[in-house]
Amino acid sequence: MNVKVIATSSSLGLAARLSTLLGCSMIAVDEKVFPDGEKYVRVPHRLEGSTVVLVHSLYQPQDERFLQLLLAIDAAKGAGAERVIVVVPYVAYARQDKRFLEGEPISVKVIFKAIEAAGADALITVDLHRPSSLDEWLEIPHANVIPIDALIGYFRGRLSNPVVLAPDRGALHRAQLAAQLLGAQYDYLEKVRDRVTGEVKVVPKSLDVKGGDMLIVDDIISTGGTIAAASKSVLTEGARNVYAACTHALLVSGALDRLYAAGVREVVATDTVPSPVSKVSVAESLAKAVNEMLTTLSL
């Protein structure tokens, strides 16, 4: 099968690693902005008969990157690609996955339907906020990669008496997977208000943290507020160290400074979103998912 990786400026490093693992060439998309602000993308090679793996992440500025993705899908098809497998390492708007209030859009549905309508033949995402959204809104083949092995592998042998913490009960499954890999206990965080002082703390639901290294895991770190509050609380309760790990490091509004100021010793993320803490690559996990998708599409 003639496979080519196409990369936009949003994911050049990750796409290069992926192309090496897949044993195929990588083509960088030409991009520019017209004087009136409109976007331009062009695939600079003919792609007749090729199966294209288009890698494009939707971190800030997410609206612009979303339009670039749609244009790139159409450009690849226009250049002769037989099939386009779209790899979106970080999916913006994924947290708006239902109508929380009357009159709201289901934003992730709009994202997925637009990708499908632009000509994608398959979609691969990484650690989607709610993976079942793919099944709900897509007709094309799809897969969601959860790179917990690679992310937690970074900490193996580095933690003493580790306890893995989820930021809330809904994320407990991720903490459970991480704890299994580390051979550690796990728990989730809850907000507790002191009846005397009124102070609100974010503390583990049931586990004792004294003397242990806490590893807080989540899919996204945005402002870092919850993890910062949790770090202060567990350190007060006697935790030895606090570490934070996530797949997508958005790190907005001074998040990294906020985390370090709260006592977090180290923050580690993957390369789905380029950041100062992107120390783990999801390339191997994506390569496996792409190969499985190629098999699915060839059946």
Side-chain angles (χ1 to χ4, degrees):
M1 187 180 293
N2 182 14
V3 179
K4 291 182 173 61
V5 171
I6 291 183
T8 67
S9 58
S10 76
S11 301
L12 285 173
L14 177 54
R17 296 184 188 97
L18 180 59
S19 66
T20 298
L21 291 169
L22 293 175
C24 63
S25 59
M26 187 189 86
I27 300 169
V29 172
D30 293 338
E31 303 173 36
K32 67 180 180 181
V33 181
F34 289 111
D36 63 358
E38 292 185 356
K39 306 299 179 185
Y40 171 90
V41 300
R42 176 176 177 267
V43 177
H45 297 279
R46 294 301 302 172
L47 301 170
E48 276 82 6
S50 298
T51 294
V52 164
V53 180
L54 173 60
V55 186
H56 182 88
S57 200
L58 296 179
Y59 56 91
Q60 291 180 313
Q62 52 269 63
D63 297 352
E64 293 182 16
R65 294 198 190 281
F66 178 50
L67 179 58
Q68 288 173 323
L69 173 59
L70 301 183
L71 296 175
I73 294 169
D74 187 72
K77 283 293 183 75
E82 183 177 332
R83 288 174 295 199
V84 177
I85 299 172
V86 176
V87 175
V88 183
Y90 170 69
V91 179
Y93 293 101
R95 287 171 283 185
Q96 184 74 34
D97 54 19
K98 63 181 179 180
R99 302 188 201 280
F100 296 94
L101 297 173
E102 185 178 353
E104 290 182 341
I106 303 175
S107 302
V108 73
K109 177 183 75 170
V110 176
I111 298 292
F112 288 160
K113 289 296 186 183
I115 290 172
E116 193 172 60
D121 296 285
L123 175 63
I124 298 174
T125 60
V126 179
D127 206 355
L128 194 66
H129 188 67
R130 188 167 65 87
S132 59
S133 299
L134 292 163
D135 298 326
E136 291 178 22
W137 307 117
L138 281 176
E139 299 294 330
I140 57 176
H142 51 268
N144 180 60
V145 171
I146 300 179
I148 195 74
D149 289 17
L151 189 60
I152 299 307
Y154 178 90
F155 291 96
R156 193 172 287 113
R158 296 176 182 231
L159 306 180
S160 175
N161 189 25
V163 174
V164 181
L165 300 174
D168 53 53
R169 188 172 185 176
L172 193 59
H173 66 287
R174 185 178 287 102
Q176 183 179 15
L177 288 172
Q180 289 172 349
L181 292 170
L182 288 172
Q185 293 182 298
Y186 66 95
D187 200 355
Y188 68 92
L189 299 166
E190 65 172 0
K191 292 181 179 179
V192 177
R193 184 180 299 275
D194 188 296
R195 294 182 179 180
V196 176
T197 66
E199 181 184 3
V200 176
K201 293 184 177 181
V202 182
V203 298
K205 172 68 175 176
S206 57
L207 291 181
D208 185 358
V209 301
K210 289 184 176 64
D213 285 342
M214 304 297 108
L215 176 59
I216 305 174
V217 295
D218 206 356
D219 57 341
I220 299 170
I221 296 179
S222 184
T223 64
T226 298
I227 294 177
S231 177
K232 292 177 182 178
S233 294
V234 297
L235 287 172
T236 300
E237 295 293 321
R240 180 172 174 265
N241 292 299
V242 178
Y243 299 84
C246 71
T247 303
H248 313 295
L250 301 184
L251 303 179
V252 300
S253 304
L256 205 53
D257 290 338
R258 181 175 298 109
L259 292 171
Y260 291 141
V264 176
R265 182 164 184 171
E266 186 175 13
V267 181
V268 176
T270 74
D271 54 354
T272 59
V273 177
S275 78
V277 297
S278 296
K279 303 173 184 179
V280 176
S281 181
V282 299
E284 289 191 10
S285 299
L286 281 175
K288 179 181 179 182
V290 168
N291 280 322
E292 290 174 352
M293 188 61 72
L294 290 171
T295 300
T296 298
L297 294 176
S298 64
L299 293 177

